[in-house]
Amino acid sequence: LTFEVVNSGNYYVTQTNDCGFDRDSIEVEISGVAPNPDLGRDTLLCEGSSIVLVSNADPTTDILWQDGSIAPTFLVTTTGLYSLIESNECGIRRDSIEVSFLEVPAPFELGADTVLCPGESILLTAPSTTDVIRWHDGSTLSTLLADKADTYALEISNVCGKALDSLALTYDQRVPVYPGDDSFPWCEGDTIALNVSQSFPVLYHWSTGETTPVIKVTTPGRYAVEIEAPCSTLTNEIDILSDEDCSPNVEFYVPNIFSPNGDDKNGLFIFFLNADVTFVSIEGSIYDRWGDQVFYSNAIPFSWDGRFNGKEVTPGVYVYNILIKYLLDGNEFTKRLTGDVTVIR
Protein backbone atom coordinates (compact mmCIF):
# COMPACT_ATOMS: atom_id res chain seq x y z
CA LEU A 1 0.00 0.00 0.00
CA THR A 2 1.17 3.56 -0.76
CA PHE A 3 0.23 7.01 0.38
CA GLU A 4 1.07 10.15 -1.64
CA VAL A 5 2.23 13.12 0.39
CA VAL A 6 1.81 16.56 -1.15
CA ASN A 7 2.03 18.78 1.92
CA SER A 8 4.45 19.13 4.76
CA GLY A 9 3.45 17.39 8.02
CA ASN A 10 3.77 14.41 10.47
CA TYR A 11 2.54 11.25 8.86
CA TYR A 12 2.13 7.83 10.61
CA VAL A 13 0.88 4.38 9.84
CA THR A 14 -0.61 1.68 12.21
CA GLN A 15 -0.72 -2.02 11.50
CA THR A 16 -2.83 -4.51 13.52
CA ASN A 17 -3.53 -8.27 13.55
CA ASP A 18 -4.79 -10.88 15.98
CA CYS A 19 -1.63 -10.64 17.93
CA GLY A 20 -1.59 -6.90 18.43
CA PHE A 21 -0.73 -3.63 16.59
CA ASP A 22 2.29 -1.44 15.80
CA ARG A 23 2.76 2.20 14.70
CA ASP A 24 5.43 4.25 12.87
CA SER A 25 5.59 7.92 11.92
CA ILE A 26 7.54 10.30 9.62
CA GLU A 27 7.98 14.05 9.53
CA VAL A 28 7.76 15.34 5.94
CA GLU A 29 8.77 18.84 4.86
CA ILE A 30 8.03 19.81 1.24
CA SER A 31 9.88 23.03 0.15
CA GLY A 32 12.06 24.51 -2.70
CA VAL A 33 11.86 24.05 -6.49
CA ALA A 34 14.02 22.39 -9.14
CA PRO A 35 16.44 24.72 -11.05
CA ASN A 36 15.22 26.41 -14.28
CA PRO A 37 18.21 27.90 -16.15
CA ASP A 38 17.31 30.16 -19.13
CA LEU A 39 20.12 31.63 -21.29
CA GLY A 40 17.74 32.99 -23.89
CA ARG A 41 17.49 32.39 -27.62
CA ASP A 42 20.45 31.82 -29.89
CA THR A 43 22.06 35.20 -30.52
CA LEU A 44 23.84 36.98 -33.40
CA LEU A 45 26.18 39.79 -32.36
CA CYS A 46 28.32 42.23 -34.33
CA GLU A 47 32.04 41.63 -34.38
CA GLY A 48 33.74 43.48 -31.52
CA SER A 49 30.74 43.39 -29.21
CA SER A 50 30.05 40.95 -26.30
CA ILE A 51 27.25 39.48 -24.22
CA VAL A 52 27.05 38.49 -20.53
CA LEU A 53 25.21 35.22 -19.79
CA VAL A 54 23.53 35.20 -16.35
CA SER A 55 22.38 32.43 -14.03
CA ASN A 56 19.40 33.47 -11.91
CA ALA A 57 19.71 30.52 -9.52
CA ASP A 58 19.44 31.09 -5.76
CA PRO A 59 22.48 30.67 -3.56
CA THR A 60 21.52 27.09 -2.68
CA THR A 61 21.80 26.00 -6.31
CA ASP A 62 25.07 24.81 -7.74
CA ILE A 63 26.20 26.39 -11.06
CA LEU A 64 28.49 24.87 -13.68
CA TRP A 65 29.34 26.49 -17.03
CA GLN A 66 30.64 24.57 -20.04
CA ASP A 67 34.23 25.54 -19.24
CA GLY A 68 33.94 24.38 -15.60
CA SER A 69 33.57 27.86 -14.10
CA ILE A 70 30.95 28.38 -11.36
CA ALA A 71 30.43 32.18 -11.33
CA PRO A 72 26.86 33.45 -11.71
CA THR A 73 27.82 35.26 -14.98
CA PHE A 74 29.81 34.34 -18.05
CA LEU A 75 31.28 36.84 -20.58
CA VAL A 76 31.00 35.77 -24.23
CA THR A 77 33.29 37.41 -26.84
CA THR A 78 33.67 34.63 -29.42
CA THR A 79 31.42 32.42 -31.48
CA GLY A 80 30.44 29.13 -29.81
CA LEU A 81 27.90 26.97 -27.96
CA TYR A 82 27.59 27.99 -24.31
CA SER A 83 25.84 25.81 -21.68
CA LEU A 84 24.80 26.13 -18.04
CA ILE A 85 23.98 23.31 -15.55
CA GLU A 86 22.10 24.20 -12.36
CA SER A 87 21.48 21.61 -9.64
CA ASN A 88 19.97 21.47 -6.15
CA GLU A 89 18.20 18.89 -3.97
CA CYS A 90 15.15 19.30 -6.16
CA GLY A 91 16.87 18.36 -9.42
CA ILE A 92 19.36 19.10 -12.19
CA ARG A 93 18.56 21.25 -15.22
CA ARG A 94 20.57 22.33 -18.30
CA ASP A 95 20.25 25.11 -20.92
CA SER A 96 22.43 26.20 -23.80
CA ILE A 97 22.76 29.10 -26.28
CA GLU A 98 24.51 29.45 -29.63
CA VAL A 99 26.29 32.78 -29.94
CA SER A 100 27.52 33.93 -33.40
CA PHE A 101 29.41 37.05 -34.40
CA LEU A 102 28.85 38.93 -37.68
CA GLU A 103 31.54 41.06 -39.25
CA VAL A 104 30.90 44.48 -40.76
CA PRO A 105 31.11 44.20 -44.58
CA ALA A 106 34.74 44.37 -45.64
CA PRO A 107 35.97 47.36 -47.65
CA PHE A 108 36.05 46.73 -51.40
CA GLU A 109 36.88 48.52 -54.64
CA LEU A 110 34.94 48.61 -57.87
CA GLY A 111 38.07 49.84 -59.61
CA ALA A 112 39.62 53.10 -60.70
CA ASP A 113 37.62 55.77 -62.51
CA THR A 114 37.46 54.68 -66.12
CA VAL A 115 37.48 56.36 -69.55
CA LEU A 116 35.98 54.35 -72.42
CA CYS A 117 35.63 54.88 -76.14
CA PRO A 118 32.15 55.44 -77.60
CA GLY A 119 30.22 52.17 -77.82
CA GLU A 120 32.28 50.40 -75.16
CA SER A 121 31.03 49.16 -71.78
CA ILE A 122 32.35 47.40 -68.68
CA LEU A 123 30.74 44.85 -66.38
CA LEU A 124 30.97 45.82 -62.72
CA THR A 125 31.01 42.91 -60.28
CA ALA A 126 30.20 43.02 -56.58
CA PRO A 127 32.38 41.04 -54.15
CA SER A 128 31.14 37.55 -53.28
CA THR A 129 29.08 37.99 -50.10
CA THR A 130 25.97 36.94 -48.23
CA ASP A 131 25.32 40.54 -47.23
CA VAL A 132 22.81 42.81 -48.94
CA ILE A 133 23.93 44.21 -52.31
CA ARG A 134 22.45 47.46 -53.59
CA TRP A 135 23.65 49.47 -56.60
CA HIS A 136 23.02 53.18 -57.04
CA ASP A 137 20.06 52.44 -59.33
CA GLY A 138 18.44 50.17 -56.73
CA SER A 139 19.33 46.87 -58.39
CA THR A 140 20.50 44.01 -56.17
CA LEU A 141 22.22 41.71 -58.67
CA SER A 142 25.85 40.74 -58.27
CA THR A 143 26.79 42.45 -61.58
CA LEU A 144 25.88 45.69 -63.32
CA LEU A 145 26.55 46.70 -66.93
CA ALA A 146 28.07 50.19 -67.13
CA ASP A 147 27.41 51.53 -70.62
CA LYS A 148 26.91 55.27 -70.20
CA ALA A 149 28.70 58.18 -68.58
CA ASP A 150 27.73 58.17 -64.92
CA THR A 151 28.96 57.56 -61.39
CA TYR A 152 28.33 53.93 -60.44
CA ALA A 153 28.04 53.23 -56.70
CA LEU A 154 27.65 49.99 -54.74
CA GLU A 155 26.60 49.54 -51.10
CA ILE A 156 27.08 46.24 -49.26
CA SER A 157 25.34 46.15 -45.88
CA ASN A 158 24.21 43.99 -42.97
CA VAL A 159 22.88 44.65 -39.49
CA CYS A 160 26.38 45.51 -38.31
CA GLY A 161 27.23 48.19 -40.89
CA LYS A 162 27.96 48.84 -44.54
CA ALA A 163 30.76 49.37 -47.05
CA LEU A 164 30.61 51.73 -50.02
CA ASP A 165 32.58 52.36 -53.20
CA SER A 166 31.96 54.18 -56.46
CA LEU A 167 33.46 54.49 -59.93
CA ALA A 168 33.11 57.37 -62.39
CA LEU A 169 32.72 56.32 -66.01
CA THR A 170 33.32 58.85 -68.81
CA TYR A 171 33.58 58.57 -72.58
CA ASP A 172 36.38 60.00 -74.70
CA GLN A 173 34.70 61.80 -77.62
CA ARG A 174 37.88 63.47 -78.91
CA VAL A 175 38.62 62.91 -82.60
CA PRO A 176 41.83 63.98 -84.38
CA VAL A 177 41.47 66.54 -87.16
CA TYR A 178 43.87 67.33 -89.97
CA PRO A 179 44.64 71.04 -89.56
CA GLY A 180 46.52 71.90 -92.78
CA ASP A 181 46.52 71.73 -96.58
CA ASP A 182 46.87 68.48 -98.49
CA SER A 183 49.54 69.80 -100.83
CA PHE A 184 52.31 72.39 -100.86
CA PRO A 185 54.42 73.82 -103.73
CA TRP A 186 58.16 73.30 -103.43
CA CYS A 187 61.17 74.95 -105.01
CA GLU A 188 64.78 73.92 -104.88
CA GLY A 189 66.23 74.73 -101.47
CA ASP A 190 62.85 75.04 -99.74
CA THR A 191 62.22 73.57 -96.29
CA ILE A 192 58.54 73.01 -95.58
CA ALA A 193 57.21 72.37 -92.09
CA LEU A 194 54.30 69.92 -91.98
CA ASN A 195 52.37 70.57 -88.78
CA VAL A 196 49.55 68.25 -87.67
CA SER A 197 49.56 69.18 -83.97
CA GLN A 198 46.45 68.24 -82.00
CA SER A 199 44.94 69.94 -78.96
CA PHE A 200 45.05 66.76 -76.86
CA PRO A 201 47.61 63.96 -76.37
CA VAL A 202 47.95 61.67 -79.39
CA LEU A 203 50.62 59.57 -81.10
CA TYR A 204 52.10 60.66 -84.43
CA HIS A 205 53.38 58.18 -87.01
CA TRP A 206 54.92 59.65 -90.20
CA SER A 207 55.91 57.65 -93.25
CA THR A 208 59.41 59.05 -92.67
CA GLY A 209 59.55 57.21 -89.33
CA GLU A 210 59.30 60.41 -87.31
CA THR A 211 56.91 60.62 -84.35
CA THR A 212 56.70 64.36 -83.72
CA PRO A 213 53.70 66.57 -84.55
CA VAL A 214 55.86 68.72 -86.85
CA ILE A 215 58.34 67.45 -89.44
CA LYS A 216 60.44 69.40 -91.90
CA VAL A 217 60.76 68.17 -95.47
CA THR A 218 63.28 69.32 -98.08
CA THR A 219 62.33 67.14 -101.04
CA PRO A 220 59.12 66.73 -103.04
CA GLY A 221 57.03 63.59 -102.58
CA ARG A 222 54.04 62.18 -100.76
CA TYR A 223 54.19 62.15 -96.97
CA ALA A 224 51.70 60.08 -94.98
CA VAL A 225 50.81 60.64 -91.34
CA GLU A 226 48.76 58.60 -88.91
CA ILE A 227 47.39 60.41 -85.86
CA GLU A 228 46.46 57.89 -83.19
CA ALA A 229 44.10 59.10 -80.45
CA PRO A 230 42.86 56.92 -77.59
CA CYS A 231 39.55 56.25 -79.35
CA SER A 232 40.10 57.01 -83.04
CA THR A 233 42.82 57.18 -85.68
CA LEU A 234 43.20 59.64 -88.57
CA THR A 235 45.36 59.02 -91.63
CA ASN A 236 46.23 61.61 -94.25
CA GLU A 237 48.62 62.07 -97.14
CA ILE A 238 50.34 65.35 -97.99
CA ASP A 239 51.81 66.03 -101.41
CA ILE A 240 54.91 68.19 -101.75
CA LEU A 241 54.87 69.20 -105.42
CA SER A 242 57.65 70.80 -107.45
CA ASP A 243 56.49 74.28 -108.36
CA GLU A 244 56.69 75.25 -112.04
CA ASP A 245 57.21 78.87 -111.08
CA CYS A 246 60.10 79.04 -108.70
CA SER A 247 61.02 82.60 -109.47
CA PRO A 248 62.47 84.32 -106.44
CA ASN A 249 60.28 86.80 -104.64
CA VAL A 250 61.92 89.89 -106.08
CA GLU A 251 59.85 93.07 -105.88
CA PHE A 252 60.40 95.93 -108.37
CA TYR A 253 59.41 99.46 -107.39
CA VAL A 254 58.75 101.92 -110.24
CA PRO A 255 57.80 105.54 -109.51
CA ASN A 256 54.62 106.89 -111.10
CA ILE A 257 55.83 110.52 -111.07
CA PHE A 258 59.12 112.41 -111.28
CA SER A 259 60.20 116.02 -111.73
CA PRO A 260 63.28 116.62 -113.88
CA ASN A 261 63.49 120.36 -113.07
CA GLY A 262 67.16 120.57 -112.13
CA ASP A 263 66.70 120.79 -108.36
CA ASP A 264 68.41 117.41 -107.85
CA LYS A 265 65.26 116.06 -106.20
CA ASN A 266 63.45 113.18 -107.87
CA GLY A 267 64.94 114.26 -111.19
CA LEU A 268 65.47 110.79 -112.74
CA PHE A 269 63.06 108.05 -113.72
CA ILE A 270 64.65 104.85 -112.32
CA PHE A 271 63.38 101.65 -110.76
CA PHE A 272 64.37 99.96 -107.53
CA LEU A 273 64.17 96.38 -106.24
CA ASN A 274 64.32 94.63 -102.88
CA ALA A 275 66.99 92.05 -103.66
CA ASP A 276 70.67 92.02 -104.43
CA VAL A 277 70.75 90.78 -108.02
CA THR A 278 73.21 90.86 -110.91
CA PHE A 279 71.75 92.44 -114.01
CA VAL A 280 72.47 90.65 -117.28
CA SER A 281 70.70 93.16 -119.50
CA ILE A 282 68.19 95.99 -119.34
CA GLU A 283 66.39 97.25 -122.41
CA GLY A 284 63.73 99.92 -122.02
CA SER A 285 61.69 102.46 -123.98
CA ILE A 286 59.55 105.47 -123.09
CA TYR A 287 56.57 106.52 -125.24
CA ASP A 288 54.44 109.64 -125.35
CA ARG A 289 50.67 109.66 -125.33
CA TRP A 290 50.55 109.18 -129.10
CA GLY A 291 52.79 106.09 -128.98
CA ASP A 292 55.94 107.78 -130.25
CA GLN A 293 59.17 106.63 -128.67
CA VAL A 294 60.84 109.47 -126.82
CA PHE A 295 63.60 107.49 -125.08
CA TYR A 296 65.44 104.16 -125.43
CA SER A 297 68.28 102.70 -123.38
CA ASN A 298 70.07 99.38 -122.90
CA ALA A 299 72.44 100.78 -120.31
CA ILE A 300 72.82 99.36 -116.84
CA PRO A 301 71.36 100.83 -114.71
CA PHE A 302 68.35 102.14 -116.64
CA SER A 303 67.47 105.83 -116.11
CA TRP A 304 65.67 108.66 -117.98
CA ASP A 305 66.22 112.34 -117.28
CA GLY A 306 62.96 113.51 -118.93
CA ARG A 307 64.61 114.63 -122.21
CA PHE A 308 64.06 113.73 -125.87
CA ASN A 309 66.88 114.48 -128.26
CA GLY A 310 68.46 116.67 -125.60
CA LYS A 311 65.33 118.71 -124.96
CA GLU A 312 63.00 118.59 -122.02
CA VAL A 313 59.77 116.78 -122.80
CA THR A 314 56.41 118.36 -122.19
CA PRO A 315 54.95 117.62 -118.75
CA GLY A 316 52.37 114.86 -118.94
CA VAL A 317 51.90 111.12 -118.85
CA TYR A 318 54.41 108.75 -120.55
CA VAL A 319 54.36 104.98 -120.95
CA TYR A 320 57.35 102.75 -120.19
CA ASN A 321 58.25 99.20 -121.27
CA ILE A 322 61.41 97.78 -119.72
CA LEU A 323 62.74 94.22 -120.16
CA ILE A 324 65.15 93.08 -117.47
CA LYS A 325 67.31 89.94 -117.24
CA TYR A 326 69.08 89.28 -113.97
CA LEU A 327 70.87 86.58 -111.95
CA LEU A 328 69.85 85.49 -108.45
CA ASP A 329 71.48 82.58 -106.63
CA GLY A 330 73.11 81.52 -109.89
CA ASN A 331 69.81 81.34 -111.80
CA GLU A 332 68.75 83.71 -114.57
CA PHE A 333 65.32 85.33 -114.48
CA THR A 334 63.43 87.71 -116.77
CA LYS A 335 61.15 90.55 -115.67
CA ARG A 336 59.15 93.01 -117.82
CA LEU A 337 58.06 96.31 -116.28
CA THR A 338 55.20 98.21 -117.95
CA GLY A 339 53.13 101.15 -116.85
CA ASP A 340 52.99 104.94 -117.00
CA VAL A 341 54.82 107.78 -115.30
CA THR A 342 53.90 111.43 -115.00
CA VAL A 343 56.49 114.15 -115.74
CA ILE A 344 56.06 117.37 -113.82
CA ARG A 345 58.20 120.50 -113.81
Side-chain angles (χ1 to χ4, degrees):
L1 297 176
T2 62
F3 183 81
E4 184 179 354
V5 175
V6 296
N7 295 306
S8 299
N10 187 19
Y11 296 86
Y12 64 91
V13 62
T14 301
Q15 281 186 318
T16 62
N17 61 22
D18 293 339
C19 297
F21 69 92
D22 197 7
R23 172 182 290 186
D24 192 19
S25 64
I26 184 173
E27 185 74 29
V28 176
E29 182 182 353
I30 298 176
S31 63
V33 294
N36 185 29
D38 184 6
L39 296 179
R41 301 174 60 182
D42 291 345
T43 300
L44 178 65
L45 302 176
C46 294
E47 192 71 31
S49 61
S50 62
I51 185 173
V52 177
L53 303 180
V54 178
S55 170
N56 293 318
D58 60 45
T60 64
T61 301
D62 294 327
I63 296 172
L64 182 64
W65 297 97
Q66 78 287 333
D67 65 347
S69 61
I70 58 173
T73 60
F74 190 90
L75 178 64
V76 176
T77 59
T78 59
T79 296
L81 179 65
Y82 297 85
S83 62
L84 171 63
I85 299 175
E86 295 179 349
S87 61
N88 60 22
E89 57 187 18
C90 294
I92 300 175
R93 297 291 187 271
R94 174 193 296 266
D95 193 26
S96 63
I97 182 174
E98 182 78 33
V99 179
S100 301
F101 285 84
L102 180 65
E103 294 182 351
V104 173
F108 65 93
E109 292 184 357
L110 289 175
D113 292 345
T114 302
V115 179
L116 296 181
C117 296
E120 294 181 340
S121 62
I122 56 174
L123 187 65
L124 302 179
T125 302
S128 178
T129 181
T130 57
D131 297 327
V132 176
I133 294 173
R134 184 174 298 277
W135 296 91
H136 67 288
D137 63 355
S139 62
T140 57
L141 299 177
S142 61
T143 59
L144 182 68
L145 182 66
D147 58 359
K148 64 181 179 180
D150 202 351
T151 297
Y152 294 81
L154 174 62
E155 176 186 284
I156 298 178
S157 63
N158 58 30
V159 295
C160 293
K162 60 186 177 181
L164 301 167
D165 193 36
S166 63
L167 175 151
L169 175 62
T170 56
Y171 281 86
D172 190 342
Q173 305 285 351
R174 298 173 299 178
V175 177
V177 294
Y178 180 69
D181 297 327
D182 291 330
S183 64
F184 295 89
W186 176 88
C187 293
E188 185 70 34
D190 284 352
T191 297
I192 299 175
L194 303 181
N195 187 344
V196 295
S197 300
Q198 302 296 303
S199 61
F200 59 98
V202 296
L203 298 177
Y204 302 92
H205 307 284
W206 292 91
S207 55
T208 60
E210 294 169 276
T211 57
T212 56
V214 182
I215 66 170
K216 294 181 179 180
V217 298
T218 57
T219 56
R222 176 165 291 177
Y223 296 84
V225 62
E226 179 182 88
I227 304 172
E228 182 183 352
C231 291
S232 64
T233 299
L234 171 70
T235 58
N236 198 71
E237 293 182 337
I238 308 166
D239 290 320
I240 305 300
L241 305 173
S242 294
D243 196 351
E244 295 181 357
D245 181 15
C246 285
S247 300
N249 187 24
V250 177
E251 297 290 340
F252 289 81
Y253 305 97
V254 184
N256 58 7
I257 188 172
F258 79 110
S259 56
N261 56 10
D263 63 359
D264 295 329
K265 295 181 180 180
N266 195 26
L268 291 177
F269 173 68
I270 57 178
F271 62 83
F272 306 91
L273 64 163
N274 65 345
D276 186 13
V277 303
T278 300
F279 291 107
V280 177
S281 65
I282 302 177
E283 187 175 2
S285 297
I286 308 292
Y287 302 90
D288 62 18
R289 57 191 297 187
W290 296 279
D292 296 326
Q293 186 181 70
V294 298
F295 180 74
Y296 169 81
S297 174
N298 59 5
I300 300 175
F302 177 88
S303 67
W304 179 42
D305 60 3
R307 294 175 180 272
F308 174 55
N309 291 331
K311 296 181 180 181
E312 295 180 348
V313 298
T314 304
V317 177
Y318 293 82
V319 176
Y320 59 85
N321 188 339
I322 306 171
L323 180 64
I324 306 167
K325 293 183 180 180
Y326 62 92
L327 297 176
L328 179 62
D329 297 332
N331 297 310
E332 183 175 304
F333 302 93
T334 299
K335 178 70 175 181
R336 183 178 295 276
L337 304 177
T338 60
D340 60 72
V341 61
T342 301
V343 176
I344 61 174
R345 299 293 182 181

